[in-house]
């Protein structure tokens, strides 16, 4: 497994489309869809309109990626907060690690998320190392027994 960090803002709504959000926020989405659109491998029909903004900094550490996304949204944070009754905004953080990472959220970062009316979802996948395997017996050597 390769370690990775992905941070993005996902906005969904039953009534506000991605084009509406783009016009109101002044930000072009990295991904968008309409309700009823078939997406993904299994062609699932989307229940809501969707608008996605990536952090734009996939190689940076977690905290710096989160700040890069906030910086990208800073100019429209108040406008997004005003749309909160009509949309669901969620900052999604996906981390894949070999060990459990320390997560540290700065107070100012959380204030920005609150101003935007955005929730925070953190998904951490930790892959344990494979179990150590016993050495195979050398040619002509008997394998160990369980004692029974």
């Amino acid at each position: 497994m390769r370690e990775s960090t992905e941070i993005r803002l996902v906005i969904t709504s039953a009534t506000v489309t991605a084009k509406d959000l783009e016009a109101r926020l002044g930000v072009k989405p990295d991904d968008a869809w309409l309700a009823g659109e078939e997406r993904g491998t299994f062609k699932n029909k989307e229940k809501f309109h969707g608008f996605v903004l990536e952090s734009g900094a996939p190689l940076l550490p977690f905290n710096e990626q989160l700040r890069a996304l906030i910086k990208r949204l800073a100019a429209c944070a108040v406008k997004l907060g005003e749309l909160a009754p009509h949309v669901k905004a969620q900052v999604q953080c996906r981390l894949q690690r070999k060990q459990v990472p320390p997560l540290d959220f700065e107070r100012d970062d959380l204030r920005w998320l609150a101003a935007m009316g955005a929730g925070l979802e953190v998904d951490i996948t930790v892959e344990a190392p494979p179990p150590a395997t016993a050495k195979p017996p050398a040619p002509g050597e008997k394998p160990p027994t369980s004692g029974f």
Side-chain angles (χ1 to χ4, degrees):
M1 174 188 80
R2 197 171 132 221
E3 292 192 342
S4 66
T5 302
E6 176 186 316
I7 299 178
R8 62 193 197 151
L9 174 72
V10 178
I11 304 171
T12 56
S13 174
T15 57
V16 183
T17 67
K19 285 191 185 235
D20 293 338
L21 284 168
E22 184 177 347
R24 291 181 186 187
L25 300 178
V27 178
K28 188 169 178 69
D30 295 314
D31 190 15
W33 61 87
L34 294 171
E37 189 175 319
E38 292 181 350
R39 293 173 33 96
T41 306
F42 299 105
K43 304 291 183 194
N44 293 329
K45 281 194 177 188
E46 293 292 340
K47 294 179 183 175
F48 301 100
H49 303 298
F51 181 98
V52 177
L53 289 173
E54 305 286 344
S55 71
L59 301 177
L60 292 178
F62 174 79
N63 286 347
E64 292 178 40
Q65 256 195 73
L66 181 59
R67 283 190 201 99
L69 178 64
I70 290 170
K71 187 175 183 179
R72 187 173 177 195
L73 293 163
C76 64
V78 173
K79 292 176 191 172
L80 181 55
E82 291 169 354
L83 289 170
H86 311 286
V87 302
K88 178 182 178 186
Q90 189 86 10
V91 173
Q92 297 177 344
C93 308
R94 306 267 185 266
L95 295 93
Q96 290 186 325
R97 295 287 186 269
K98 293 178 182 169
Q99 297 179 4
V100 177
L103 294 179
D104 181 23
F105 295 97
E106 297 292 327
R107 181 177 24 212
D108 288 342
D109 296 342
L110 295 175
R111 284 184 182 150
W112 273 105
L113 297 181
M116 292 184 275
L120 177 64
E121 177 184 317
V122 179
D123 182 16
I124 303 172
T125 302
V126 178
E127 185 176 295
T133 57
K135 268 184 19 184
E141 188 178 310
K142 286 180 139 183
T145 62
S146 64
F148 290 101

